[in-house]
Amino acid sequence: MNQSASEAHARSIEQQLLEQIKRFFKLFGLVTGVWLIGYLGFSVTWLVVAVLAYIITSYIKEQRKVRTKAFQALARDERQFLANVENLPSWVFFPDVERAEWLNSIIKQAWPFVKDYAVLIIEKQIMPGVRDNLPGVIQDLRFSRLDLGDIAPRFGGVKVYTGDNTRRSEIVMDMDLIYYGDAKIEMKTKGIKAGIKSIELRGILRVVISPLIPRIPIAACVTVTFLSVPYLNFDLTDLGNILDLPGLRQMLVKVVSDQISAQLVVPNRLLVPLAGDVDLTAMKWILPQGVLRFKVVEARDLKRSDVGLIRSGKSDPYAIVTVGSQKYTTKAIANSLNPVWNAAFEAAVDVRQGQLLDIELFDEDAGSKDDELGSAKVDLGSVAREGVLDTWLKLDDVDTGSVRLRMSWANLMDTALFQAPSTRGSGGGEFSRAFLYVGVDCCRSLPTVKCGQEPSALVEISVTGGGGGSGSSSTDAQRTATFEDSPNPIFEAPFHFFVSEPSIASVQLTVLHRGRRRLGQVQIPLRFLLQEANMQLHRAWDLNTDSGTQSQIVLFLALRAIVEGQYEAPAEIPVKTIPAAEAAEPAQAEAQDEPEAANTISTNSDSDGVRQRKNAPAAAPAAAPAAATAAAPSQQGRVQLTIRYSQPRQCLVVVCHQADLPIATVATDDSSLDPYAKLYIKSDSRGAVSSKKQKTKTMKATRNPVYDESFEFSLPESDLSSSSLCVALMKQCGKLIGGKNHQIGLASIALADLEQNAATVWYDLKTAAGMAGDDSSLCVALMKQCGKLIGGKNHQIGLASIALADLEQNAATEQQEQQRQQSDPSYAERLGRIELTLRYSPARQSLVLACHRVQLLPQTAGPTVDTNLCNPYVKFSIEAAESSAYANQQSKKQSKRTGTARSTLTPVFDESFDFQVNEIELSYRYLRVRVLHRKPKSKSILPGPAARLSRGVLLGSARISLADFEHNSTAWYELG
């Protein structure tokens, strides 16, 4: 007891000593500053200004501390706080806003777990965007501590919408979120430490539970979003105090607030799936409920802001209008208290009920912060009911002033009403005729950047050729957030554009690495949407990449006509059930009473409904591929996996739970057995590894390792039938240079019969010899040497696998084909054939041609010529048909050729070419193919037909019409 008291006394003395040292340096700095002002001959005015600045800054900080303490006291105990104040919350005055103290109690109890999820969202979604918008010097900003504190957020009131305001299959709530926490956040960059504390966040949170379904869990998903940009403020600590100046500090707050808007303010939503067997595409891509066309006409009797000796005594007013996350600004009118703007705008309204139009007036002051002249709000629900509204709004927070707004509501129709010119709405001004909704879902197989590094991609979207009307501000390029270090990024981000001429407009999407290097691009004409029944598409588009990688981007595109009128309620959202998931209800699997089901079930859900189970019952469905149904492990052991294919994301999700290794598996004791699992996808048709190998962590000294790790493999659905999942259980043999780990057993699971629902199954392990059987193959790997340093790992460029069992069969097949051709009566008149693949890409407006090989017959070079003298190459050109009306049309000549093969009649080229051809030209152009012999550089002395070959005479040609070729087909074409 005496020792602890003495330690506390010593700490108290140290703290007092530090305070005295700080006070000394403050006084010393103050006296030194005053002395320097006098010594350098400065005016006493500088001293007065410095003292005033210090007093004002101290006052602002003190007021902020008092306000923060008051709000934290409110968050801890609302009743005690309200007993000492006169202004009561909104639920006391408004009967449709209810108090939610029971909900606050639940959140307070769950806050230690909820804040961990919030930390994950901040690190993975918000922080990458913040770094991209910071100056380049500090873009490597990283968290060294991220603690959201012990004070949980509160809901000041909850409003539930009923009746005609909602659909029958949804529950809609507005919740007043209040968070004044004691968070402690520390960040580091370039060895410099800065921090944030006392975060203030307040806004109206819209929670939608929809669609409702007639079974547990009653609702398919929950979506959460802010109706407007929430209020955000925080204090800076450590070196961050340098930024605690009005201008620089507000810039930092704005960067963070903009990233919150890009993630959680309408139209952006956080979607939480609850039922894994329901298609949530309709909930992921929700179109706006309408379009608001408004005109900021004028203002009158504004406050005099520019008052002074050299000022006019008037203001330079301008207006900022906010609708959700959209902002619109008028120009400033100089020296006027009754400005006239007549500025027209149009904004997409995602949520009609409960969303507000917020207009703020400011006085423009060059070189200083703009003064506020007042603000006003308009309920968009009233505009939707009236159709047209022209009103004067009194400005709040000022003694004088009002502003005039002219507003009209327009509905979005899925009929092609684009025949009339750009409309002039009831509010005046030229407006757009169409609305374009672009949902960027994900990208697939993006190319790597330098040194094989995985890209950190974002997508830039813009509309070209038919932008919005004069009232639109959404025609500028917009960007998604950056998805770090992945060739298959998932964005799920919506974007809005207004279009005046949809018949000639195009949407262009560019995938960029960290906003600078281009990874791929695609341009989609909007006429494709006009040809669809409901003018919307949800599909993958090929990206035009410089590296030649077969990359794709998945988009949801919807085009709507803008028609003015009163609000029309949308139809009910259809509930689409995934058939494969209905075949095996989760409750049926959980009802099985087996020993392995003793542990709890953990569900990991993503946006496409993938559900993964841990330690589920070992019994597998009858259709599960290669599943071991026996309860006991095999001689080599077994491994427990959960396998599920995600169709929307085109990836295979695998959870490796645990393994069971018998004593006979490895001739060693448990203390030296350190097993880990290695997983990869193998192509059955080529016998090659078609994915990056992934592995679990190593479990030390055990024969029953428990991993519970999840892995994802990018795999197109078309490759499922020809692919297998291989799981190799390995024994780590040490970390010395050249040490090779030992394979304990291998499980190969065919993916052809994979079910949609996730199944947790035990799979038997086999030895490598047992897996081979009759499927022996010759594998040839082309490697890139990456250095000769110790431990340097070479990079595999490609892998070829040749099934030895098929060699004899393939040779016999080719011999039979050759005999069949020679028995054909027309064999003597033929010159040979060429194998081509033709594919047309509408998005790129190009014809993609792949030349594989050519088979020339002996009579091609003449009966007396040695066939080894033939050096063939192929030349391609796009030409117009002589009989068409476009035969004489002048166009850029497109001609390309392969390399030259030496001394052979059966050359193999495997070269690819692109020809720029639009869809109209396909109807009257054809592809001309010519097989030629390369002319030797020296003069030939060969007689007869050999001399004819040396002069470069045509060996054979073919003509292929582009109007009726079979799309994306590989075929042989006869040479004539």
Side-chain angles (χ1 to χ4, degrees), residues 16 64 75 102 156 255 266 530 545 661 764 892 900 917 926:
Q16 293 177 6
R64 192 184 303 158
W102 61 272
V255 169
V266 288
L530 293 174
T545 60
L661 303 176
D764 287 340
K892 183 179 179 181
T900 303
V917 182
Y926 67 90

Side-chain angles (χ1 to χ4, degrees), residues 646-657:
S646 172
Q647 187 174 13
R649 294 167 55 195
Q650 296 286 293
C651 70
L652 185 73
V653 183
V654 182
V655 183
C656 182
H657 297 295

Side-chain angles (χ1 to χ4, degrees), residues 742-764:
H742 172 69
Q743 180 174 303
I744 302 173
L746 179 68
S748 180
I749 301 101
L751 302 179
D753 302 325
L754 185 68
E755 290 191 339
Q756 291 291 332
N757 57 307
T760 303
V761 182
W762 285 98
Y763 296 93
D764 287 340

Side-chain angles (χ1 to χ4, degrees), residues 279-282 284-285 439-442 444 492 529 532 534-541 553-558 647-649:
D279 185 7
L280 300 179
T281 303
K284 186 186 299 182
W285 311 118
V440 182
D441 196 339
C442 62
R444 302 172 185 164
E492 296 182 349
L529 295 175
E532 297 294 323
N534 56 354
M535 294 196 295
Q536 67 184 38
L537 283 172
H538 189 192
R539 51 161 287 193
W541 302 81
I553 183 170
V554 182
L555 302 173
F556 176 82
L557 302 174
Q647 187 174 13
R649 294 167 55 195

